[in-house]
């Protein structure tokens, strides 16, 4: 008797959608003009970059917005603009990606890691216990999971901690209707290819604080051209900072801004499409024996551009087996429990330039996290197939181990 082969998924987990046609046309106009640098404008011309900043500020409700060369740049720039001193401690998530501790180290700070819960958010009890160790928290909404932002802000306000939000995975997300990036003093976003809008590289910094905004704009390399910004504080605010703030070039350019503007306008519609895909995979995985989903609180408006599940207290060899069996059927899963950093995935104890103490409760969670991207090029049928494959492989390994 011949067995029908198990169905395989043939799509790519790293294939994004094309840039919207209006963005391609706007990019061609920038190329034809030759004026790609944000401050290279014709008389009375508003640059694509300045317009993009104005539009992103309006979308998030922030007073000020700076577009930058990358999300990581925005994070480091935010720390400097908030007054980080050399060698100063910065609290941050143990569960995040390498550019976050990297931005802290790059700005001269020392990361102090805070644990992770089963819902993949920052451990607020651990944060409270460490609140006297730093003046800053760089809060990473890792993989789009928002913690109880009300309690987080209470803890930080009580301890006098300035919060900088890393919204690389939460552009378009909200907590009780308030946009992610609007809780802390500064919100930072990435427009890198794998995030929610795609300009190859790029980022944003938003804030309501005029001094932080003025310092960030000077830091980004505005020279004395800050009056050409459309989402910046009044020129007199710059008088107080312009001689004492170094230029650390990290600008956005008009070509990237041109392709981002229509994507920012489309974001709400894209969020709906992401969540259809997320909810389809989640429904297909729910109830799989041995597999725990990260539950999403009612207060959270999420953007399901990736999905995570936990294989809690599994043998490392069994998790490895799941990853390999899914890969053999075309489903690319990332495991945060691997001994060595692989691809984009690493853990707090792989960043050996930063000291860390063991965190057994977080280690148990990290060792169990399996992560998967959900690009918008996947159809809902693709999502159903992917969930079926994961479900059958996890079940097979789980039953064999039982
Ligand atoms: C991508 C990413 C960043 C940094 O963004 P870049 O634009 O690549 O510099 C920061 N934090 C997290 C969690 C990210 O995934």
């Amino acid at each position: 008797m011949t067995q029908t082969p198990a169905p395989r998924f043939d799509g790519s987990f790293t294939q994004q959608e094309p840039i919207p046609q209006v963005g391609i046309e706007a990019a061609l106009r920038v190329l034809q003009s030759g004026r790609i640098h944000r401050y290279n404008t014709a008389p009375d011309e508003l640059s694509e970059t300045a317009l993009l900043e104005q539009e992103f500020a309006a979308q998030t409700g922030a007073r000020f917005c700076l577009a930058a060369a990358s999300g990581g740049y925005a994070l480091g720039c935010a720390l400097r603009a908030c007054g980080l001193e050399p060698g100063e401690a910065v609290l941050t998530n143990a569960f995040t990606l390498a550019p976050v501790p990297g931005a802290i180290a790059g700005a001269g700070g020392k990361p102090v890691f805070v644990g992770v819960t089963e819902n993949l958010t920052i451990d607020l009890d651990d944060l409270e216990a460490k609140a006297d160790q730093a003046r800053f928290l760089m809060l990473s909404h890792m993989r789009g999971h928002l913690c109880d932002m009300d309690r987080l802000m209470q803890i930080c306000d009580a301890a006098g901690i300035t919060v900088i939000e890393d919204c690389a995975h939460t552009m378009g997300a909200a907590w009780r209707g308030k946009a992610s990036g609007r809780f802390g003093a500064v919100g930072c976003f990435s427009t890198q290819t794998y995030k929610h809008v795609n300009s190859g590289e790029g980022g944003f910094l938003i804030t309501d604080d005029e001094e932080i905004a003025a310092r960030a704009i000077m830091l980004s390399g505005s020279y004395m051209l800050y009056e050409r910004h459309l989402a910046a504080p009044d020129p007199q605010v710059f008088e107080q900072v312009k001689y004492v703030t170094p230029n650390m070039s990290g600008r956005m350019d008009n070509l990237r801004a041109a392709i981002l503007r229509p994507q920012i306008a489309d974001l709400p519609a894209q969020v709906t499409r992401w969540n259809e895909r997320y909810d389809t995979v989640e429904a297909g995985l729910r109830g799989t024996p041995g597999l725990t989903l990260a539950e999403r609180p009612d207060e959270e408006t999420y953007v399901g551009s990736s999905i995570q599940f936990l294989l809690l207290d599994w043998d490392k060899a069994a998790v490895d087996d799941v990853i390999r069996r899914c890969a053999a059927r075309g489903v690319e899963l990332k495991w945060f429990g691997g001994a060595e950093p692989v691809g984009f995935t690493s853990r707090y104890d792989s960043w050996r330039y930063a000291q860390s103490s063991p965190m057994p409760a977080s280690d148990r969670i990290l060792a169990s996290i399996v992560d998967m991207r959900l690009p918008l090029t996947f159809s809902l049928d693709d999502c159903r197939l992917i969930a079926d494959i994961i479900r059958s492989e996890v079940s097979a390994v789980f039953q064999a181990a039982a």
Side-chain angles (χ1 to χ4, degrees):
M1 243 178 58
T2 54
Q3 248 187 319
T4 41
R8 238 191 91 86
F9 176 64
D10 292 316
S12 162
F13 282 79
T14 50
Q15 182 59 56
Q16 304 293 35
E17 293 189 296
I19 301 303
Q21 190 55 34
V22 283
I24 294 174
E25 284 158 16
L28 285 174
R29 282 194 299 277
V30 170
L31 288 173
Q32 276 152 359
S33 79
R35 293 187 294 277
I36 301 173
H37 190 283
R38 69 167 295 165
Y39 300 117
N40 184 198
T41 47
D44 299 325
E45 184 182 31
L46 299 174
S47 79
E48 289 286 331
T49 309
L51 289 165
L52 171 70
E53 288 168 339
Q54 189 176 47
E55 289 159 3
F56 193 64
Q59 186 173 83
T60 52
R63 287 178 72 197
F64 310 117
C65 175
L66 170 70
S70 73
Y73 182 89
L75 289 170
C77 180
L79 279 172
R80 290 193 174 97
C82 288
L84 180 78
E85 305 278 349
E88 203 179 343
V90 179
L91 294 161
T92 195
N93 305 59
F95 176 47
T96 185
L97 288 180
V100 177
I104 295 170
K110 249 182 28 195
V112 174
F113 298 107
V114 182
V116 60
T117 69
E118 274 188 38
N119 287 329
L120 303 186
T121 54
I122 193 166
D123 179 343
L124 293 175
D125 295 331
D126 194 29
L127 176 65
E128 203 158 33
K130 291 173 178 164
D132 60 349
Q133 293 184 30
R135 292 192 300 145
F136 298 97
L137 166 66
M138 183 164 279
L139 172 65
S140 186
H141 303 299
M142 178 60 175
R143 286 296 183 256
H145 296 274
L146 293 174
C147 70
D148 178 342
M149 288 303 296
D150 303 307
R151 186 170 164 220
L152 178 123
M153 290 311 299
Q154 248 168 27
I155 294 169
C156 291
D157 289 344
I161 293 174
T162 300
V163 178
I164 294 165
E165 293 181 69
D166 165 28
C167 306
H169 304 162
T170 54
M171 184 186 279
W175 179 261
R176 284 199 299 103
K178 181 168 169 175
S180 163
R182 298 290 292 132
F183 289 83
V186 186
C188 297
F189 298 80
S190 170
T191 66
Q192 188 235 76
T193 292
Y194 301 111
K195 314 298 164 93
H196 297 175
V197 291
N198 176 9
S199 61
E201 303 287 353
F204 289 115
L205 177 162
I206 58 170
T207 182
D208 284 348
D209 185 297
E210 50 185 28
E211 259 194 63
I212 293 173
R215 276 198 291 268
I217 289 168
M218 293 304 302
L219 284 163
S220 77
S222 62
Y223 301 93
M224 296 299 157
L225 302 168
Y226 46 79
E227 289 190 52
R228 301 216 200 148
H229 284 240
L230 299 171
D234 291 337
Q236 70 264 21
V237 182
F238 287 86
E239 292 303 322
Q240 304 148 39
V241 303
K242 69 181 189 184
Y243 300 111
V244 293
T245 309
N247 176 326
M248 302 192 175
S249 284
R251 291 172 300 273
M252 166 78 64
D253 60 77
N254 290 332
L255 188 54
R256 293 183 208 182
I259 65 176
L260 285 172
R261 288 179 63 205
Q263 295 183 63
I264 293 296
D266 283 349
L267 183 64
Q270 300 291 74
V271 170
T272 304
R273 296 177 61 221
W274 256 306
N275 288 353
E276 287 165 0
R277 285 154 181 75
Y278 182 95
D279 295 345
T280 301
V281 174
E282 188 188 52
L285 294 181
R286 196 166 283 287
T288 306
L291 178 151
T292 307
L293 288 163
E295 294 302 337
R296 316 218 63 147
D298 290 340
E299 293 90 337
E300 184 191 31
T301 304
Y302 57 89
V303 183
S305 55
S306 68
I307 188 164
Q308 294 70 44
F309 57 85
L310 310 185
L311 299 178
L312 270 173
D313 304 322
W314 282 45
D315 236 45
K316 279 190 187 291
V319 181
D320 242 346
D321 207 18
V322 168
I323 307 290
R324 270 188 284 109
R325 293 170 69 131
C326 287
R329 296 180 65 183
V331 174
E332 244 180 71
L333 302 173
K334 309 276 188 247
W335 178 35
F336 277 82
E340 275 298 309
V342 183
F344 288 106
T345 311
S346 59
R347 339 162 1 114
Y348 72 94
D349 48 5
S350 359
W351 308 318
R352 293 186 204 164
Y353 57 84
Q355 271 183 3
S356 62
S357 322
M359 293 196 268
S362 291
D363 290 344
R364 172 175 173 259
I365 310 286
L366 285 168
S368 79
I369 301 173
V370 181
D371 174 42
M372 181 175 79
R373 286 200 178 106
L374 291 171
L376 289 173
T377 49
F378 288 2
S379 67
L380 296 184
D381 278 340
D382 290 340
C383 293
R384 279 184 275 271
L385 173 60
I386 289 166
D388 283 347
I389 290 171
I390 297 173
R391 190 185 186 90
S392 71
E393 298 305 334
V394 168
S395 302
V397 176
F398 189 70
Q399 274 151 21

